[in-house]
Amino acid sequence: MKEITESLRREAARLLNEGVELFIGYAAGTRPACARPFFVTKPEEVTGLVFDPFCVPNLVKYILRHADKKVAVVVKGCDRAAVDRLVAERHLDRARITLVGVPCGGMLARERVLAELGPNPRIEAVEDRGPSFVLRVRGEERTFEKRKFLMEKCLGCTRNNPAGVDVMVGKEAPPVADPEYDPLKEIRAIEALPAAERAAFWEKVFGRCLRCYACREVCPACSCTECTFEQAVPGWQQGATWISKAKSLPDNYHYHLIRAFHVAGRCAGCAECERVCPVGIPLMLLNRKLAADIASLFGETEEDPCGALCVYSLADPDEFE
């Protein structure tokens, strides 16, 4: 991974010297086995950039906060589609954005790696050896088989080499998808439950939601400048807000189901919503279910940046007449 990091730093310095105002990449996190978004505005700052299998955050959401600048951003294959959708929805001007693609060998599940390494390991180097990552920790090599230690979203990934980028860093990565992985297996098991058990499952899941809105804040598809759930409605109109600020199961249902439909057909599948949830709500169950239903009803729309639910055509069948 050292070669990719060095190439990233060279490209970042070149782009900043050629007029890019902001380069968004990754830096080492303050915790072990963790990376954080890193914002570079000067060539001398590029030495802080890194890339390794802990660079999980989707950085595309941050472009929205700097849409008036010439921005370069590091994208993995799973992040790439979010850019096209934000451009298609006119949130971003593609001419102002330089996409710096990195071939991705998969992202390691931090919790499982730390369970093997123990608390506060000092990871000195990371090497991608195809079917496994090798971490050097305190001078010793520790091998992590991808099939066991990759994040779930990576096991079904078929686009780990981002397409349509402006700059590609590093060599093409071999496929990471596990042919035995079934992304709908858990969803089918839930659908097979009797109605009462299915309801109990979702009540237990949504009952622990704090409504901290971390899932919304990190999601590139949640791009509204003002969220309907937090509209400041003055005076007597406050009764018209969609949900109360108090935590309750009905309002938790209301929030999550409306948000799921809001991103249906627009979700890039980066799974950031699920990763940042502080209480571990499996939000990708909803997103994968809706993606499967949309594919069944409208065909595969992965290559269409607008998505199935963002396009209107007079030829669409109308079932309401």
Side-chain angles (χ1 to χ4, degrees), residues 67-97:
D68 59 334
K69 296 180 180 175
K70 291 184 69 174
V71 176
V73 62
V74 175
V75 291
K76 306 183 294 294
C78 56
D79 309 328
R80 175 67 182 86
V83 177
D84 288 338
R85 290 190 177 148
L86 290 172
V87 170
E89 294 168 7
R90 302 182 183 180
H91 290 293
L92 296 178
D93 179 357
R94 181 66 177 87
R96 302 180 73 87
I97 302 166

Side-chain angles (χ1 to χ4, degrees), residues 60-191:
V60 173
K61 183 71 178 267
Y62 296 101
I63 310 176
L64 289 169
R65 301 179 188 176
H66 303 279
D68 59 334
K69 296 180 180 175
K70 291 184 69 174
V71 176
V73 62
V74 175
V75 291
K76 306 183 294 294
C78 56
D79 309 328
R80 175 67 182 86
V83 177
D84 288 338
R85 290 190 177 148
L86 290 172
V87 170
E89 294 168 7
R90 302 182 183 180
H91 290 293
L92 296 178
D93 179 357
R94 181 66 177 87
R96 302 180 73 87
I97 302 166
T98 301
L99 296 179
V100 182
V102 284
C104 178
M107 293 289 115
L108 286 170
R110 179 173 184 269
E111 294 75 15
R112 273 179 270 159
V113 170
L114 291 181
E116 293 291 318
L117 296 180
N120 301 317
R122 184 181 173 189
I123 300 173
E124 296 153 350
V126 181
E127 186 178 350
D128 186 347
R129 294 186 182 173
S132 62
F133 282 111
V134 176
L135 277 56
R136 193 169 72 236
V137 182
R138 295 190 179 90
E140 295 184 4
E141 287 192 351
R142 300 289 299 272
T143 300
F144 292 86
E145 189 181 349
K146 291 185 180 180
R147 194 170 175 180
K148 293 181 180 177
F149 289 94
L150 285 187
M151 298 179 72
E152 183 180 1
K153 68 171 185 175
C154 302
L155 297 176
C157 177
T158 57
R159 49 185 181 178
N160 56 317
N161 291 292
V165 295
D166 303 299
V167 178
M168 192 68 181
V169 172
K171 300 176 183 175
E172 185 173 311
V176 296
D178 180 350
E180 296 181 10
Y181 173 72
D182 179 358
L184 301 179
K185 181 179 179 181
E186 191 173 356
I187 294 169
R188 284 197 296 270
I190 295 169
E191 289 178 328

Side-chain angles (χ1 to χ4, degrees), residues 239-288:
T241 53
W242 287 64
I243 56 176
S244 74
K245 293 187 181 299
K247 178 176 173 290
S248 71
L249 182 60
D251 277 349
N252 287 355
Y253 266 117
H254 203 170
Y255 166 66
H256 283 291
L257 294 181
I258 287 179
R259 205 187 84 81
F261 277 96
H262 179 52
V263 303
R266 301 167 56 244
C267 171
C270 66
E272 282 290 89
C273 53
E274 189 171 284
R275 182 182 68 85
V276 300
C277 179
V279 292
I281 296 176
L283 291 166
M284 287 306 291
L285 288 177
L286 281 177
N287 294 335
R288 286 200 296 268

